[in-house]
Amino acid sequence: MIQVLFSVIFAEMALIVLFIFKTPLRKLVIMGLDRVKRGRGPIVVKTTGSTIFVVMLSTIYSVVSIRKRWIDEDGNVTPTDQILMAQHLLLASLMGFSLFLGLMIDRLHHYIRELGMRRKSMEAVNKQNRGFEDGKNGASDEMKSLEEEASALRLKIQKLEATVEEKAKEASNAEANVIALKKQSDHFFLENGNLLEENQNLRAQLRSLSK
């Protein structure tokens, strides 16, 4: 029994060392424990642990009984009782230590699995953030190109407005010239009419003089 417990303790210590240091064997150990925790594995492990715990309590009870016998017999201890007590103490210590190491292995396995899942989730979040940043950069490039196009269109609009203003000025100048020419033509018509009247008057005067 003692040799079996020592073997179990050394095996558990080896598993803990494999958990602590990141080696290729750690993945194999984690995969093995994952398979053990599936199906009926947890029931078997709990049953074994409960049995060891009950045996440990029984061994502790035997140690307490031997101790009471020593007290009742006023310290008269036989070599057999000493050997039995030492053996029971060793068994109880080994069983308690093995249970403690088993609990440590279970917790380490749980924390390593949770840490791996959180790392995967963090990597996924980082990938999403990178994709978002890339999309943001692409959107910013598109915004820059659109702003450049908008500025070019603004320049074109300003140029068109300037040409329209020039054309409007030219049209207003042409209209003013037309109005001035019309006034001059009207003035010429009036002068021409006056000259015709004067010419007729002069002809009438000449005719009257000739008679």
PDB file of all heavy atoms in Angstrom, residues 3 37 98-99 129-130 132-133 161 185 195 197:
ATOM      1  N   GLN A   3       3.976   1.538  -1.048  1.00  0.00           N
ATOM      2  CA  GLN A   3       4.657   1.671  -2.337  1.00  0.00           C
ATOM      3  C   GLN A   3       3.715   2.225  -3.412  1.00  0.00           C
ATOM      4  O   GLN A   3       4.095   3.065  -4.228  1.00  0.00           O
ATOM      5  CB  GLN A   3       5.208   0.315  -2.760  1.00  0.00           C
ATOM      6  CG  GLN A   3       6.333  -0.184  -1.861  1.00  0.00           C
ATOM      7  CD  GLN A   3       6.830  -1.550  -2.283  1.00  0.00           C
ATOM      8  OE1 GLN A   3       6.273  -2.169  -3.192  1.00  0.00           O
ATOM      9  NE2 GLN A   3       7.885  -2.037  -1.626  1.00  0.00           N
ATOM     10  N   LYS A  37     -12.014  13.415 -18.072  1.00  0.00           N
ATOM     11  CA  LYS A  37     -13.151  14.137 -17.499  1.00  0.00           C
ATOM     12  C   LYS A  37     -14.432  13.999 -18.304  1.00  0.00           C
ATOM     13  O   LYS A  37     -15.451  14.592 -17.953  1.00  0.00           O
ATOM     14  CB  LYS A  37     -12.795  15.621 -17.348  1.00  0.00           C
ATOM     15  CG  LYS A  37     -11.794  15.881 -16.237  1.00  0.00           C
ATOM     16  CD  LYS A  37     -11.577  17.368 -16.046  1.00  0.00           C
ATOM     17  CE  LYS A  37     -10.649  17.638 -14.869  1.00  0.00           C
ATOM     18  NZ  LYS A  37     -10.452  19.079 -14.625  1.00  0.00           N
ATOM     19  N   SER A  98      -1.577  12.709  -1.365  1.00  0.00           N
ATOM     20  CA  SER A  98      -2.017  12.324  -2.713  1.00  0.00           C
ATOM     21  C   SER A  98      -3.339  13.002  -3.080  1.00  0.00           C
ATOM     22  O   SER A  98      -3.522  13.455  -4.225  1.00  0.00           O
ATOM     23  CB  SER A  98      -2.155  10.805  -2.815  1.00  0.00           C
ATOM     24  OG  SER A  98      -3.202  10.353  -1.970  1.00  0.00           O
ATOM     25  N   LEU A  99      -4.265  13.085  -2.113  1.00  0.00           N
ATOM     26  CA  LEU A  99      -5.522  13.791  -2.383  1.00  0.00           C
ATOM     27  C   LEU A  99      -5.276  15.272  -2.663  1.00  0.00           C
ATOM     28  O   LEU A  99      -5.894  15.866  -3.558  1.00  0.00           O
ATOM     29  CB  LEU A  99      -6.483  13.625  -1.203  1.00  0.00           C
ATOM     30  CG  LEU A  99      -7.073  12.235  -1.001  1.00  0.00           C
ATOM     31  CD1 LEU A  99      -7.882  12.177   0.297  1.00  0.00           C
ATOM     32  CD2 LEU A  99      -7.958  11.850  -2.175  1.00  0.00           C
ATOM     33  N   ASN A 129     -10.467  43.574 -33.888  1.00  0.00           N
ATOM     34  CA  ASN A 129     -10.011  44.960 -33.793  1.00  0.00           C
ATOM     35  C   ASN A 129      -9.124  45.333 -34.977  1.00  0.00           C
ATOM     36  O   ASN A 129      -9.227  46.441 -35.520  1.00  0.00           O
ATOM     37  CB  ASN A 129      -9.243  45.174 -32.486  1.00  0.00           C
ATOM     38  CG  ASN A 129     -10.154  45.145 -31.276  1.00  0.00           C
ATOM     39  OD1 ASN A 129     -11.320  45.532 -31.366  1.00  0.00           O
ATOM     40  ND2 ASN A 129      -9.646  44.704 -30.149  1.00  0.00           N
ATOM     41  N   ARG A 130      -8.250  44.370 -35.378  1.00  0.00           N
ATOM     42  CA  ARG A 130      -7.402  44.641 -36.531  1.00  0.00           C
ATOM     43  C   ARG A 130      -8.236  44.814 -37.794  1.00  0.00           C
ATOM     44  O   ARG A 130      -7.991  45.712 -38.601  1.00  0.00           O
ATOM     45  CB  ARG A 130      -6.413  43.492 -36.719  1.00  0.00           C
ATOM     46  CG  ARG A 130      -5.308  43.463 -35.655  1.00  0.00           C
ATOM     47  CD  ARG A 130      -4.444  42.245 -35.809  1.00  0.00           C
ATOM     48  NE  ARG A 130      -3.454  42.148 -34.744  1.00  0.00           N
ATOM     49  CZ  ARG A 130      -2.671  41.100 -34.554  1.00  0.00           C
ATOM     50  NH1 ARG A 130      -2.759  40.048 -35.378  1.00  0.00           N
ATOM     51  NH2 ARG A 130      -1.802  41.087 -33.571  1.00  0.00           N
ATOM     52  N   PHE A 132     -11.325  45.768 -37.877  1.00  0.00           N
ATOM     53  CA  PHE A 132     -12.031  47.045 -37.753  1.00  0.00           C
ATOM     54  C   PHE A 132     -11.115  48.219 -38.083  1.00  0.00           C
ATOM     55  O   PHE A 132     -11.510  49.170 -38.768  1.00  0.00           O
ATOM     56  CB  PHE A 132     -12.580  47.189 -36.339  1.00  0.00           C
ATOM     57  CG  PHE A 132     -13.326  48.472 -36.101  1.00  0.00           C
ATOM     58  CD1 PHE A 132     -14.572  48.677 -36.645  1.00  0.00           C
ATOM     59  CD2 PHE A 132     -12.744  49.485 -35.332  1.00  0.00           C
ATOM     60  CE1 PHE A 132     -15.255  49.868 -36.426  1.00  0.00           C
ATOM     61  CE2 PHE A 132     -13.413  50.666 -35.111  1.00  0.00           C
ATOM     62  CZ  PHE A 132     -14.674  50.850 -35.657  1.00  0.00           C
ATOM     63  N   GLU A 133      -9.850  48.135 -37.590  1.00  0.00           N
ATOM     64  CA  GLU A 133      -8.903  49.199 -37.882  1.00  0.00           C
ATOM     65  C   GLU A 133      -8.581  49.255 -39.372  1.00  0.00           C
ATOM     66  O   GLU A 133      -8.460  50.338 -39.949  1.00  0.00           O
ATOM     67  CB  GLU A 133      -7.622  48.987 -37.073  1.00  0.00           C
ATOM     68  CG  GLU A 133      -7.804  49.286 -35.581  1.00  0.00           C
ATOM     69  CD  GLU A 133      -6.543  49.020 -34.796  1.00  0.00           C
ATOM     70  OE1 GLU A 133      -5.557  48.540 -35.422  1.00  0.00           O
ATOM     71  OE2 GLU A 133      -6.526  49.270 -33.578  1.00  0.00           O
ATOM     72  N   GLU A 161     -18.818  79.518 -61.829  1.00  0.00           N
ATOM     73  CA  GLU A 161     -19.440  80.743 -61.328  1.00  0.00           C
ATOM     74  C   GLU A 161     -18.715  81.980 -61.848  1.00  0.00           C
ATOM     75  O   GLU A 161     -19.347  82.993 -62.218  1.00  0.00           O
ATOM     76  CB  GLU A 161     -19.432  80.732 -59.801  1.00  0.00           C
ATOM     77  CG  GLU A 161     -20.431  79.748 -59.191  1.00  0.00           C
ATOM     78  CD  GLU A 161     -20.365  79.737 -57.683  1.00  0.00           C
ATOM     79  OE1 GLU A 161     -19.423  80.370 -57.136  1.00  0.00           O
ATOM     80  OE2 GLU A 161     -21.234  79.102 -57.055  1.00  0.00           O
ATOM     81  N   SER A 185     -30.090 106.076 -82.122  1.00  0.00           N
ATOM     82  CA  SER A 185     -30.923 105.970 -83.333  1.00  0.00           C
ATOM     83  C   SER A 185     -32.171 106.834 -83.201  1.00  0.00           C
ATOM     84  O   SER A 185     -32.597 107.494 -84.160  1.00  0.00           O
ATOM     85  CB  SER A 185     -31.283 104.504 -83.588  1.00  0.00           C
ATOM     86  OG  SER A 185     -32.085 104.008 -82.525  1.00  0.00           O
ATOM     87  N   LEU A 195     -34.587 117.941 -89.716  1.00  0.00           N
ATOM     88  CA  LEU A 195     -33.939 118.389 -90.955  1.00  0.00           C
ATOM     89  C   LEU A 195     -34.883 118.351 -92.134  1.00  0.00           C
ATOM     90  O   LEU A 195     -34.876 119.249 -93.007  1.00  0.00           O
ATOM     91  CB  LEU A 195     -32.713 117.507 -91.239  1.00  0.00           C
ATOM     92  CG  LEU A 195     -31.504 117.704 -90.296  1.00  0.00           C
ATOM     93  CD1 LEU A 195     -30.440 116.651 -90.572  1.00  0.00           C
ATOM     94  CD2 LEU A 195     -30.928 119.112 -90.460  1.00  0.00           C
ATOM     95  N   GLU A 197     -38.139 118.699 -92.003  1.00  0.00           N
ATOM     96  CA  GLU A 197     -39.074 119.835 -91.849  1.00  0.00           C
ATOM     97  C   GLU A 197     -38.409 121.131 -92.294  1.00  0.00           C
ATOM     98  O   GLU A 197     -39.010 121.961 -92.993  1.00  0.00           O
ATOM     99  CB  GLU A 197     -39.532 119.931 -90.393  1.00  0.00           C
ATOM    100  CG  GLU A 197     -40.498 118.822 -90.010  1.00  0.00           C
ATOM    101  CD  GLU A 197     -40.916 118.949 -88.560  1.00  0.00           C
ATOM    102  OE1 GLU A 197     -40.422 119.875 -87.869  1.00  0.00           O
ATOM    103  OE2 GLU A 197     -41.728 118.108 -88.090  1.00  0.00           O
TER     104      GLU A 197
END
